[in-house]
Amino acid sequence: MIELIPAIDIIEGQCVRLTKGDYDQKTVYGNPLEMAQEFERIGFRRLHMVDLDGAKSKHIVNDEVLNRITKATNLIVDFGGGIKTDEDIRKAFDNGASMVTVGSIAVTQPELFLSWVEQYGAERLILGADVRNGKISINGWKEDSTEDLLPFLRRYIDAGVRNVLCTEISKDGTLQGPAIELYQRVMKEYLKLHLIASGGVSSIEDIKSLDAAGIPAVVFGKAIYEGKINLQELWDWQNA
């Protein structure tokens, strides 16, 4: 059964969603702690949290929000956005993150990313692979690299990484359905990967389709906040 991971994206301490990573297409949804507590009340155990201010500023900004959520809930929080230095990753873990998602540094400073894998353990690191036109994007999706997706993943899978969050940027925040063919291509290449699909989920049916396609996990956010997914119905389906 697919692992369900609701998402909270943070700008200026508020829960928001962007469309295709565009900071000018922002919708504010309110208090992130209240949202996290509602996820936990229903029964969800995981939370994907993104510091969008951090991604833009290239250093962690909303660590206090992370701290409030991890102190007030028992959710397993994976945290990303703005993790560029040893100080940033320490700050994330010190403020309660169970796992950290790192994307840009794995492109620009692979040695530093691998040192974190060695220091903290591969099980606590999630490799962020944000894809646009087949290339990895970095720094809050504002820049495209020259890295192709599959060779990029191979480098780190060979180094022991097993957790990958893959976002198809053209789908993110659009509610137009997930990039199932992309995720199937990755899973066909790397059978033992714990792939977390992200972007485009618009309904429980989309999540069922990912599950049927053999995708291990899914992150979803905007569909919750726009009322496209009833969380209790989703939880009941998974636990039927």
Side-chain angles (χ1 to χ4, degrees):
M1 180 63 73
I2 194 168
E3 182 181 18
L4 303 175
I5 310 173
I8 291 177
D9 293 354
I10 309 294
I11 291 180
E12 296 178 350
Q14 294 182 304
C15 178
V16 307
R17 293 301 289 178
L18 307 182
T19 299
K20 298 182 181 181
D22 185 349
Y23 283 74
D24 293 327
Q25 296 187 61
K26 176 182 72 176
T27 305
V28 178
Y29 294 103
N31 187 304
L33 175 56
E34 291 176 0
M35 202 70 235
Q37 289 172 323
E38 177 64 6
F39 295 152
E40 184 176 44
R41 183 194 67 77
I42 291 169
F44 293 94
R45 301 180 184 91
R46 279 281 300 273
L47 175 66
H48 176 64
M49 184 175 170
V50 181
D51 180 358
L52 289 174
D53 292 316
K56 194 173 185 179
S57 303
K58 302 184 181 181
H59 61 84
I60 287 181
V61 174
N62 286 292
D63 49 295
E64 290 184 5
V65 180
L66 169 65
N67 187 270
R68 285 199 296 272
I69 288 174
T70 56
K71 282 188 173 178
T73 74
N74 292 310
L75 292 167
I76 298 168
V77 179
D78 72 77
F79 180 87
I83 295 174
K84 308 292 186 185
T85 65
D86 290 329
E87 180 182 357
D88 287 322
I89 195 167
R90 277 198 303 271
K91 187 179 288 187
F93 285 131
D94 287 348
N95 281 282
S98 299
M99 307 171 78
V100 166
T101 301
V102 179
S104 300
I105 286 299
V107 176
T108 61
Q109 295 179 255
E111 298 84 359
L112 180 58
F113 178 74
L114 289 171
S115 76
W116 292 343
V117 172
E118 183 174 350
Q119 181 176 355
Y120 296 102
E123 71 281 356
R124 300 191 74 189
L125 272 290
I126 300 172
L127 175 62
D130 301 327
V131 184
R132 180 164 42 212
N133 299 321
K135 303 290 185 182
I136 300 293
S137 291
I138 60 174
N139 295 328
W141 302 347
K142 297 192 298 295
E143 303 171 35
D144 291 333
S145 75
T146 59
E147 295 269 9
D148 291 313
L149 175 60
L150 292 179
F152 172 74
L153 296 180
R154 166 63 69 188
R155 178 190 314 162
Y156 294 112
I157 289 169
D158 287 347
V161 170
R162 287 295 176 267
N163 300 302
V164 172
L165 175 71
C166 186
T167 304
E168 170 52 76
I169 295 169
S170 68
K171 296 279 190 179
D172 192 72
T174 66
L175 300 175
Q176 293 177 354
I180 293 177
E181 290 184 3
L182 172 68
Y183 305 133
Q184 285 179 314
R185 193 161 70 245
V186 173
M187 289 302 299
K188 184 179 179 181
E189 190 77 15
Y190 307 118
L191 297 176
K192 295 182 180 180
L193 194 65
H194 187 74
L195 180 68
I196 307 166
S198 172
V201 171
S202 65
S203 65
I204 293 177
E205 291 306 312
D206 283 339
I207 292 175
K208 290 180 179 178
S209 295
L210 287 164
D211 184 47
I215 309 306
V218 58
V219 161
F220 51 98
K222 191 169 187 177
I224 302 169
Y225 306 116
E226 293 291 323
K228 305 291 186 182
I229 287 179
N230 180 296
L231 288 174
Q232 189 63 58
E233 287 181 15
L234 179 61
W235 182 254
D236 292 344
W237 164 74
Q238 190 187 51
N239 292 277

